[in-house]
Amino acid sequence: MSKISTYSLEHHKSLFTHEINPKDYFYVQIQDHPYIDVPYRAESYAIEFLKKGSIIMQTRLDKIVIEAPAILAIGPNVIRSFTKNSEEILMDIIFFKPEFFLESQSNIFFLSQFDFFENSDMHVFPLEKKTKPKFEKLFNLIKETVSVEHFHQASILRSYLYILIFELDTIKKAFSNKEIQNPLFEKFKELVAKDFTKHRSPTYYADHLNVTRKYLSEVIKNNSGKTTREWIDNMVILEAKVLLHNKSLTINQISDTLNFSNQSVFGKFFKTQTGISPLEYRINN
């Protein structure tokens, strides 16, 4: 039983257009986003170019306001939802299935080497004045390519996607070189994203990362402004909210899924974190 909805590419297409498009990729330019406030995953990758306005995006780890101009890179594993923030937006989006992109790629792990696709969180690339025109040209080329049916359409689009991904990776690496990145913080995020349903003790993460709990807490706080406990609790609460949207699951089943000792303990934890009970959240959402 799937506990979190996974949107197919066909479902994504239906949110934007009524046209039938059997391909493993889909491009759209929108001025009104189909805001989806129920968290979900997707079977496809997405690269989104926010040209005008702003939107609010919630993932497992963050809720942020994204202001134009910016690029969003979203892998299939990212749990995401969207809410409105400005009346007017302009956005180009290219969705593509991994099998489409990797069709002529001998390295089936090619996409996995880019952490802006493979981590459990979204990645936003704010664009500087000097970099925005480059991405405008790329997305215009993508738009032109998909607007007319021809024999090499898929191959040409794939080539533009390669360029787009390498351009994003260039920005990512340049940013990483400017900022002091703490590898312990990165390892903690990876570990907590993998184990938070089974382990909610900061000591567990400190032990597995071979550091003291106090040192881990200092690193996490310095790099994110949140404590280790807040990171873990935020992950649990978001997962709980995602599961509560699935009406086929009882609250007791959700409690078991998240490895609480019983439903009462889960209910107290949820109310402490959100101010309402799991049942109230389900009724209101």
Side-chain angles (χ1 to χ4, degrees):
M1 174 170 54
S2 178
K3 295 171 183 176
I4 299 173
S5 296
T6 298
Y7 284 8
S8 66
L9 183 59
E10 287 68 28
H11 183 73
H12 265 128
K13 292 173 189 172
S14 71
L15 295 173
F16 297 99
T17 179
H18 297 297
E19 296 178 10
I20 297 175
N21 184 344
K23 299 182 177 70
D24 287 342
Y25 53 88
F26 174 60
Y27 164 86
V28 64
Q29 185 177 85
I30 58 171
Q31 292 180 301
D32 186 24
H33 198 287
Y35 298 103
I36 307 162
D37 57 6
V38 178
Y40 69 96
R41 292 186 178 98
E43 71 169 354
S44 56
Y45 289 82
I47 302 177
E48 309 185 3
F49 182 12
L50 182 62
K51 296 178 172 178
K52 184 178 181 180
S54 62
I55 60 172
I56 298 173
M57 184 174 179
Q58 169 80 56
T59 65
R60 189 193 296 278
L61 299 179
D62 293 301
K63 181 177 183 179
I64 66 169
V65 176
I66 302 168
E67 302 276 357
I71 303 285
L72 288 72
I74 312 173
N77 293 327
V78 176
I79 299 174
R80 81 296 299 259
S81 63
F82 299 90
T83 50
K84 189 173 185 177
N85 194 60
S86 63
E87 289 301 320
E88 191 175 0
I89 67 168
L90 180 62
M91 177 181 276
D92 290 12
I93 310 174
I94 179 72
F95 298 98
F96 58 95
K97 291 184 180 179
E99 52 266 35
F100 160 73
F101 184 83
L102 297 171
E103 183 175 314
S104 57
Q105 170 63 249
S106 59
N107 177 13
I108 62 171
F109 301 107
F110 179 83
L111 290 168
S112 302
Q113 68 185 301
F114 302 101
D115 62 358
F116 52 80
F117 276 143
E118 290 307 309
N119 285 352
S120 61
D121 204 13
M122 67 167 174
H123 289 266
V124 180
F125 299 82
L127 297 181
E128 299 177 357
K129 188 175 181 179
K130 62 182 179 180
T131 55
K132 181 184 176 184
K134 182 186 295 184
F135 286 96
E136 286 179 330
K137 290 176 184 177
L138 274 171
F139 274 89
N140 284 339
L141 288 167
I142 290 172
K143 183 179 180 180
E144 290 175 14
T145 300
V146 300
S147 63
V148 180
E149 291 289 334
H150 56 87
F151 182 77
H152 292 296
Q153 183 186 77
S155 297
I156 293 171
L157 176 59
R158 208 176 282 118
S159 297
Y160 289 143
L161 283 172
Y162 272 105
I163 297 170
L164 195 51
I165 290 168
F166 283 128
E167 288 288 356
L168 291 176
D169 195 47
T170 299
I171 295 175
K172 178 76 164 53
K173 284 181 167 53
F175 178 80
S176 297
N177 290 336
K178 291 178 184 177
E179 298 293 321
I180 298 174
Q181 301 294 311
N182 191 300
L184 179 62
F185 178 50
E186 298 302 319
K187 289 178 181 178
F188 168 75
K189 287 195 293 182
E190 292 176 9
L191 186 60
V192 76
K194 181 171 67 75
D195 290 351
F196 74 95
T197 58
K198 295 180 181 178
H199 301 283
R200 292 190 294 277
S201 167
T203 302
Y204 167 84
Y205 296 95
D207 289 346
H208 276 69
L209 294 168
N210 297 312
V211 295
T212 66
R213 177 173 170 171
K214 181 180 179 181
Y215 179 69
L216 178 63
S217 180
E218 290 175 354
V219 170
I220 303 308
K221 185 73 173 178
N222 290 338
N223 280 267
S224 69
K226 299 177 185 177
T227 66
T228 309
R229 172 64 69 187
E230 286 171 336
W231 267 87
I232 300 166
D233 288 350
N234 286 348
M235 294 281 282
V236 175
I237 285 297
L238 181 57
E239 187 77 2
K241 287 179 177 179
V242 170
L243 296 175
L244 285 165
H245 281 286
N246 186 341
K247 302 297 173 64
S248 67
L249 293 173
T250 67
I251 292 176
N252 190 54
Q253 286 175 315
I254 293 171
S255 173
D256 289 343
T257 298
L258 296 174
N259 287 287
F260 283 87
S261 55
N262 56 60
Q263 183 177 330
S264 176
V265 173
F266 169 61
K268 289 178 181 176
F269 171 81
F270 191 92
K271 189 163 187 177
T272 298
Q273 297 294 321
T274 66
I276 59 175
S277 70
L279 182 58
E280 288 174 308
Y281 177 84
R282 169 168 276 178
I283 291 172
N284 294 327
N285 291 273

